[in-house]
Amino acid sequence: MPRPIYAQLNLTALRANVAAARARAPSAQLLAVAKANAYGHGLLRLLPGFDGADGIALLELEAAVELRAKHYKRRILLLEGFFAPSELPEIAKSRIAVAVHHADQVKMLEAAKLARPLEVFLKVNTGMNRLGVRPSEVAALSDRLSSCDAVATLRLMTHLARADEDDGVATQVAAFDAACGKLPYPRSLANSAGLVRYDEVGGDYVRPGIMLYGATPFAQRSAHDIGVQPVMTLRSELIAVQDLEPGDSVGYGGAYKAARAHRIGVVACGYADGYPRHAPGGTPVLVCGKRVATVGRVSMDMLTVDLTNVQEAVVASPVVLWGEGLPVDEVAGAAGTVGYELLCAVTPRVPFVVSKVGKLDLEL
């Protein structure tokens, strides 16, 4: 028997999340952000669940080319664009759209001789201060790109840094409008948090990411509050049960000492599976569908939980580390991180099970 841990992916939930995102901006084109191998879920595993999107946005040229090899025909956008002129022929051949976020990329396009021109999204830095051209450069660079033989169509985009905060969109939207308001090109502003606030943000293209996977970009609004459901459920089992006496310790360093007699369960999941090693005692876990708390340190291959409230628990009882019934954001919050990190951190030794219509397909 294999070690009893796996990540179950629910494509029905993914389709519902895409539909929920689209309902917030029904007139906009929806590009599903699937960078980092679809936030750790596996891009090709999830591809059927993205049917309701108008395209996919990611970072990795290799992944974009693989999508084309799988006969994906909708728009693909490289969110960081290209890094060297040598990439441009493959980008053109594979009909991939690119973000352009600095003047050197404009120069590369002006010097390029391509088999077909590219769709370009000129990225404007409106306050995130990572990627993007200065607002004062937008008009001149737009003129250069629109007259460049290597450019077929031009769009304008930015990235919202604080759309999850009450006052977090007005300044950037105003800066974007000031830089781009007189230009005739379609616009893309909204990430997941921006899409939830689409009436304030607007735009012709939206780029939801984390909400498609059933997690929230907001600190004070849950995934349930914004109408999405988990796509990944990390499941395991109890592989041992121990009876503790008062004063007994658990795990490395004896970080947990029993103040009373009670049972603990040992779960087949540890930091080598992607569970956060820094998760403190008290981090929530589900055993037999009931909420319990971790005790002691997370080990490489195991973690331990207090079974006081689950008297029926025995070896092989089912465990949910996050997902259905236990939002990944809640586990992440207990561990002092964000749901994005936990989803992306599941390691290659964890098998994935993809829920398809009426059956499960195991993919190691």
Side-chain angles (χ1 to χ4, degrees):
M1 293 292 292
R3 182 166 173 263
I5 183 171
Y6 62 97
Q8 183 177 0
L9 303 181
N10 185 337
L11 294 188
T12 299
L14 177 59
R15 291 187 179 99
N17 295 343
V18 172
R22 182 176 289 285
R24 292 181 176 274
S27 62
Q29 294 276 299
L30 189 149
L31 305 181
V33 177
K35 59 185 179 178
N37 202 18
Y39 289 47
H41 294 64
L43 176 56
L44 296 183
R45 296 186 191 108
L46 294 193
L47 191 57
F50 289 128
D51 281 349
D54 298 296
I56 288 176
L58 37 67
L59 300 186
E60 306 86 359
L61 177 56
E62 297 85 355
V65 171
E66 188 172 15
L67 284 177
R68 290 294 187 231
K70 297 293 183 182
H71 308 293
Y72 185 79
K73 299 186 182 302
R74 300 181 189 183
R75 177 183 282 108
I76 301 172
L77 170 63
L78 293 179
L79 290 166
E80 291 182 356
F82 50 93
F83 302 95
S86 58
E87 297 175 287
L88 288 171
E90 181 61 62
I91 290 171
K93 176 183 175 183
S94 298
R95 296 175 292 106
I96 297 168
V98 294
V100 165
H101 55 83
H102 62 76
D104 286 347
Q105 289 174 311
V106 178
K107 292 179 183 177
M108 293 180 207
L109 287 170
E110 289 173 329
K113 305 297 182 184
L114 303 179
R116 58 163 59 92
L118 307 181
E119 180 182 19
V120 169
F121 285 68
L122 178 61
K123 188 165 192 176
V124 185
N125 177 14
T126 56
M128 175 72 87
N129 290 314
R130 297 190 312 187
L131 303 181
V133 303
R134 292 189 299 272
S136 60
E137 299 176 299
V138 172
L141 291 178
S142 294
D143 286 345
R144 287 172 62 184
L145 288 168
S146 64
S147 61
C148 177
D149 290 341
V151 176
T153 55
L154 183 61
R155 288 78 167 83
L156 302 169
M157 67 186 294
T158 194
H159 192 53
L160 300 173
R162 296 174 48 237
D164 56 322
E165 301 175 22
D166 289 344
D167 61 347
V169 298
T171 299
Q172 282 192 267
V173 170
F176 189 80
D177 286 343
C180 306
K182 296 181 180 180
L183 299 174
Y185 309 110
R187 306 177 183 188
S188 176
L189 294 85
N191 51 10
S192 287
L195 177 55
V196 173
R197 305 176 63 173
Y198 184 71
D199 288 346
E200 301 168 76
V201 173
D204 305 286
Y205 298 84
V206 295
R207 311 183 312 271
I210 192 65
M211 69 182 297
L212 300 183
Y213 306 94
T216 179
F218 297 97
Q220 305 300 327
R221 298 180 67 182
S222 69
H224 181 267
D225 290 340
I226 63 172
V228 296
Q229 52 192 294
V231 174
M232 178 195 293
T233 299
L234 185 61
R235 298 187 184 275
S236 187
E237 295 179 2
L238 297 183
I239 57 172
V241 174
Q242 301 289 348
D243 294 304
L244 300 185
E245 296 297 328
D248 284 348
S249 62
V250 176
Y252 289 114
Y256 175 81
K257 291 188 182 297
R260 54 184 168 74
H262 67 98
R263 292 193 312 152
I264 61 164
V266 181
V267 181
C269 180
Y271 60 78
D273 301 298
Y275 198 86
R277 182 180 182 276
H278 55 277
T283 299
V285 174
L286 298 183
V287 176
C288 299
K290 296 180 180 179
R291 184 175 292 247
V292 301
T294 61
V295 296
R297 294 179 184 171
V298 176
S299 301
M300 181 181 290
D301 310 302
M302 292 171 278
L303 57 84
T304 48
V305 295
D306 185 345
L307 296 178
T308 299
N309 297 324
V310 195
Q311 293 302 310
E312 69 271 28
V314 295
V315 171
S317 287
V319 173
V320 169
L321 286 311
W322 64 67
E324 293 181 13
L326 181 61
V328 68
D329 304 298
E330 186 173 349
V331 179
T337 184
V338 291
Y340 304 71
E341 182 181 10
L342 299 192
L343 296 175
C344 290
V346 176
T347 64
R349 80 172 184 176
V350 176
F352 279 77
V353 172
V354 182
S355 299
K356 297 181 180 177
V357 180
K359 68 175 184 176
L360 298 179
D361 288 351
L362 183 65
E363 299 188 13
L364 299 178

